[in-house]
Amino acid sequence: VDNDIKNLGYLITQKFINVCKNKDINISENLNLYLSKKINNMLTNAYCDFNYQENLNLNNRDSVLLTGSGGDYLTRLASLHFMKNGNKVIRMTHGGDSVFFDDPSWTTIELPFITEYISYGIESSKINTNKINNHIEKRKNLNKIQSFAGGSKFHEKILDQIKYEPNKEVKNLTIMSASFGDTNRAIPNVKIHDVIYYEWQLRLSKRLTKHGYNTIAKRHPKGQSTNDYLFQDVVSTEKLSEKMNTTFGYTDLYIFDLCGGAFMEALCTLKPIILIEMPNRLLNKNTKDLLKKNINIIPARYNDDNLIEIDFNQLLESINNSVNINERLRLISDFITSRNYTKKY
């Protein structure tokens, strides 16, 4: 690798360390070495992949790159070369939940090297359009990104198949939890430290099971320990590697502490939902007011021992079969689907 790359890595590392020093942040020798190695690896990859475009057949200016959400390295690399060649790069939202939050990392993950961004519903697209325009203005970015609403046929299919059951007695609680990756997650991140999160989920599940409900633990089917039982001693049933749609039949009420694709699917089941709002990912005030008309929201906080705390009495009082069906269908029609479901029931 060219020595200029190594020198650049050194300069970037020193620049970062100097910024930290000016803020009275101490940088250890180990962190210094880690930063240097990490930055050099990233620069080396970029240098080695500089001619990646030669592997792409971009002779046709009508070629379009269609990507999912997230912007991993390979996607960004291909997107960059498509854009440099004058081709369209279209990125589509994943999950759709990000419109309810002011995630600080959203723009840096979703927007690099794209020409168009596709959201679910009209209101989702309006929110993302504002985020995109603010980002472009602040960055003085000459690349104009168009924002569209595509509507989700996947979620429309759930709505068309679901049977709305008002006033059904709540017996089966499905507790939806995030995956475990055995990592120390840096903030900002939608997840909290695995150890803290596991302790919280154990405590939550124990309390609900002890209260007499049939509790079902449903974990996100990714990450480490996916095929290991972690909660079977404290819940009635623990589901492993199960798809979200299999929960529709037996669930009377969903409990979430992390919004993602499963949360958006749960909205479309028209079942009661409780969202425990974790302190490291707070809802946007405007969308929170909308969600409050559809679901019950329980605030969480960190105590002095850095453990998650909620008002369990408030949680238990929120376990009921009440769903404002008109507001739920309005939310779905505005934020998720292309069809209007407000007159479905």
Side-chain angles (χ1 to χ4, degrees), residues 264-298:
M264 304 300 276
E265 290 184 51
L267 285 173
C268 296
T269 66
L270 309 181
K271 295 177 183 289
I273 296 173
I274 295 175
L275 172 63
I276 297 169
E277 186 182 16
M278 302 298 264
N280 59 305
R281 196 191 190 202
L282 299 177
L283 291 160
N284 173 281
K285 183 184 182 304
N286 293 330
T287 52
K288 185 174 183 176
D289 291 340
L290 289 173
L291 284 172
K292 280 182 176 179
K293 300 176 182 178
N294 291 269
I295 65 175
N296 287 305
I297 301 175
I298 309 294

Side-chain angles (χ1 to χ4, degrees), residues 170-187:
V170 176
K171 296 180 180 178
N172 301 324
L173 304 183
T174 299
I175 306 168
M176 307 291 297
S177 68
S179 60
F180 292 90
D182 302 323
T183 59
N184 298 326
R185 298 188 178 94
I187 299 297

Side-chain angles (χ1 to χ4, degrees), residues 82-267:
F82 265 77
M83 279 193 63
K84 286 175 65 177
N85 197 59
N87 297 83
K88 280 186 178 182
V89 180
I90 302 174
R91 179 162 291 150
M92 300 176 294
T93 190
H94 173 75
D97 57 286
S98 61
V99 294
F100 299 132
F101 302 87
D102 290 324
D103 293 330
S105 58
W106 185 84
T107 54
T108 57
I109 293 173
E110 296 294 278
L111 301 185
F113 314 128
I114 64 169
T115 56
E116 297 178 17
Y117 191 85
I118 309 296
S119 307
Y120 286 160
I122 294 293
E123 293 302 316
S124 294
S125 181
K126 288 179 180 178
I127 291 172
N128 285 334
T129 297
N130 288 334
K131 291 181 179 180
I132 290 169
N133 290 339
N134 289 337
H135 176 73
I136 289 174
E137 182 179 349
K138 290 178 181 178
R139 292 292 183 94
K140 295 180 172 57
N141 194 338
L142 299 178
N143 173 38
K144 301 301 180 184
I145 301 173
Q146 293 181 292
S147 178
F148 301 98
S152 173
K153 298 297 182 185
F154 173 79
H155 293 90
E156 289 178 8
K157 185 177 180 181
I158 295 174
L159 278 162
D160 292 339
Q161 294 177 346
I162 210 71
K163 180 182 177 182
Y164 174 51
E165 299 178 282
N167 304 317
K168 183 181 179 182
E169 182 182 0
V170 176
K171 296 180 180 178
N172 301 324
L173 304 183
T174 299
I175 306 168
M176 307 291 297
S177 68
S179 60
F180 292 90
D182 302 323
T183 59
N184 298 326
R185 298 188 178 94
I187 299 297
N189 199 298
V190 297
K191 298 179 182 179
I192 61 176
H193 190 291
D194 278 351
V195 175
I196 303 296
Y197 189 62
Y198 183 52
E199 187 279 336
W200 151 247
Q201 277 287 324
L202 282 174
R203 191 157 29 96
L204 172 67
S205 300
K206 282 181 182 178
R207 191 71 172 264
L208 293 171
T209 303
K210 188 177 179 179
H211 209 73
Y213 289 104
N214 182 40
T215 51
I216 302 103
K218 166 73 172 73
R219 219 181 322 152
H220 192 291
K222 289 184 179 179
Q224 298 184 24
S225 305
T226 299
N227 297 316
D228 297 324
Y229 288 100
L230 301 179
F231 302 104
Q232 62 177 351
D233 294 337
V234 295
V235 295
S236 307
T237 308
E238 182 174 7
K239 302 290 186 178
L240 299 181
S241 303
E242 184 176 86
K243 292 184 178 180
M244 183 61 185
N245 61 2
T246 61
T247 70
F248 299 166
Y250 58 71
T251 300
D252 296 327
L253 181 145
Y254 288 101
I255 297 179
F256 287 87
D257 58 21
L258 179 74
C259 285
F263 175 76
M264 304 300 276
E265 290 184 51
L267 285 173

